[in-house]
């Protein structure tokens, strides 16, 4: 594996592991989701640039657009959580517990 | 030039370890700023011109601005930076894991640093990735329309989510 492929793959896996081992804040989980989408943008852009398959350059643009959608939805859920629970601490989201 | 790529890849790893280890969201956003800036540099080193600029603009100008003002919702009096003990343990664990993975997977690889830098050796105005994005507007017109409609739908979804007063996703607040 060349170093650049290794870099964005570990970038993705680090974001995924950070998302798994989140601690307190919902916003930091959303930030790690963003870092995963960032590594996906890097991966698809490098695909277009390194292999000279120029038409694949549409994929990073569309991935970016839809990741903006998901980020904005997540942030609005964060706003809703802060309005009902007072903060975005994950331990407050426990309505399904007995 | 390949040393520049090395430095930028190292900066990518440092930034993503800084995001993934659990600091407070103020500092994690700073790590993401670093990753997007360095990622723009990596794409430039590999010959892109339009895609790195789009990347820089959307991530720093769009998403990080949103995350910055949403960080006010997760304010705490003593935010955990990277000097905190538990965050330092996460950093050490991730650096160790990444180092082991690199040693194992890159151990057999030898050669230069994957440097496609420039095929033509001269300054060009119309680069490959710009032509690819132009193809999205040309033959990919329908996916552009669908993407725009999806973004418009997301706008309305977001507006309804935070509407409140017993309509939408909130209780009566």
């Amino acid at each position: 594996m060349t170093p650049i492929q290794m870099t964005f793959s570990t970038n993705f896996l680090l974001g995924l592991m950070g998302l798994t081992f989140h601690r307190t804040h919902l916003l930091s989980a959303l930030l790690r989701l963003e870092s995963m989408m960032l590594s996906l943008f890097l991966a698809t852009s490098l695909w277009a640039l390194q292999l000279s398959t120029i038409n694949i350059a549409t994929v990073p643009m569309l991935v970016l657009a839809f990741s903006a959608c998901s980020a904005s939805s997540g942030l609005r859920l964060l706003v809703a959580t802060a309005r009902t629970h007072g903060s975005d601490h994950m331990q407050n989201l426990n309505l399904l517990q007995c | 030039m390949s040393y520049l790529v090395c430095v930028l890849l190292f900066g990518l790893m440092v930034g993503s370890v800084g995001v993934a280890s659990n600091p407070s969201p103020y500092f994690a956003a700073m790590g993401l700023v670093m990753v997007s800036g360095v990622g723009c540099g990596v794409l430039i080193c590999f010959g892109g011109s339009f895609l790195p600029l789009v990347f820089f603009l959307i991530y720093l100008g769009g998403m990080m601005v949103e995350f910055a003002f949403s960080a006010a919702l997760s304010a705490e009096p003593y935010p955990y930076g990277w000097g905190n003990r538990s965050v330092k343990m996460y950093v050490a664990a991730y650096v160790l894991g990444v180092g082991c993975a690199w040693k194992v997977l890159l151990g057999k690889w030898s050669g230069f640093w994957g440097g496609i830098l420039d095929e033509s050796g001269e300054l060009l105005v119309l680069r490959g990735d710009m032509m690819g994005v132009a193809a999205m507007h040309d033959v990919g017109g329908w996916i552009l329309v669908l993407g725009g409609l999806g973004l418009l739908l997301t706008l309305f979804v977001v507006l309804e989510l935070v509407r409140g007063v017993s309509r939408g996703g909130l209780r009566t607040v």
Side-chain angles (χ1 to χ4, degrees):
Chain A
M1 206 191 285
T2 61
I4 179 64
Q5 274 86 4
M6 188 69 193
T7 306
F8 63 70
S9 306
T10 46
N11 204 345
F12 185 84
L13 285 173
L14 277 174
L16 190 61
M17 280 198 288
L19 189 59
T20 315
F21 303 131
H22 62 260
R23 195 170 49 196
T24 320
H25 288 284
L26 185 59
L27 183 60
S28 49
L30 291 174
L31 276 166
R32 276 164 227 136
L33 206 62
E34 274 317 298
S35 85
M36 285 163 67
M37 302 305 287
L38 196 148
S39 74
L40 285 180
F41 184 95
L42 273 178
T44 47
S45 304
L46 285 164
W47 177 5
L49 290 169
Q50 282 188 335
L51 301 179
S52 295
T53 54
I54 298 176
N55 282 330
I56 304 294
T58 62
V59 171
M61 305 287 292
L62 294 167
V63 159
L64 196 62
F66 296 131
S67 83
C69 288
S70 76
S72 65
S73 304
L75 281 173
R76 293 307 163 253
L77 286 173
L78 178 86
V79 165
T81 309
R83 282 178 73 180
T84 56
H85 295 277
S87 68
D88 67 337
H89 288 190
M90 304 283 271
Q91 63 239 24
N92 292 336
L93 305 172
N94 56 358
L95 283 178
L96 289 177
Q97 288 178 5
C98 300
Chain B
M1 190 69 172
S2 59
Y3 291 120
L4 181 64
V5 176
C6 288
V7 167
L8 292 174
L9 293 182
F10 183 70
L12 260 181
M13 294 313 306
V14 163
S16 62
V17 164
V19 173
S21 64
N22 266 306
S24 173
Y26 298 126
F27 304 112
M30 206 186 304
L32 210 56
V33 164
M34 180 180 173
V35 171
S36 55
V38 169
C40 170
V42 167
L43 289 178
I44 290 173
C45 287
F46 281 97
S49 64
F50 184 69
L51 281 174
L53 283 177
V54 162
F55 184 55
F56 206 67
L57 189 72
I58 302 300
Y59 265 97
L60 290 185
M63 300 215 204
M64 284 302 113
V65 166
E66 275 202 38
F67 280 104
F69 63 68
S70 300
L73 291 168
S74 67
E76 51 192 6
Y78 300 105
Y80 287 167
W82 293 295
N84 191 17
R85 193 196 159 101
S86 57
V87 177
K88 265 197 281 208
M89 278 169 47
Y90 272 106
V91 167
Y94 286 138
V95 164
L96 205 65
V98 165
C100 292
W102 277 59
K103 194 87 172 101
V104 165
L105 290 171
L106 286 180
K108 297 194 258 309
W109 178 86
S110 64
F112 62 100
W113 279 83
I116 286 264
L117 300 175
D118 222 339
E119 295 99 26
S120 62
E122 57 199 27
L123 295 175
L124 298 169
V125 173
L126 300 174
R127 306 288 305 242
D129 56 345
M130 205 186 298
M131 293 297 105
V133 176
M136 180 175 73
H137 293 83
D138 181 14
V139 296
W142 284 111
I143 190 69
L144 201 61
V145 167
L146 280 177
L149 285 176
L151 283 168
L152 187 66
L153 182 67
T154 308
L155 176 71
F156 288 121
V157 161
V158 152
L159 278 173
E160 283 302 317
L161 265 177
V162 293
R163 189 176 282 271
V165 200
S166 77
R167 256 190 83 173
L170 301 180
R171 295 198 300 250
T172 55
V173 287

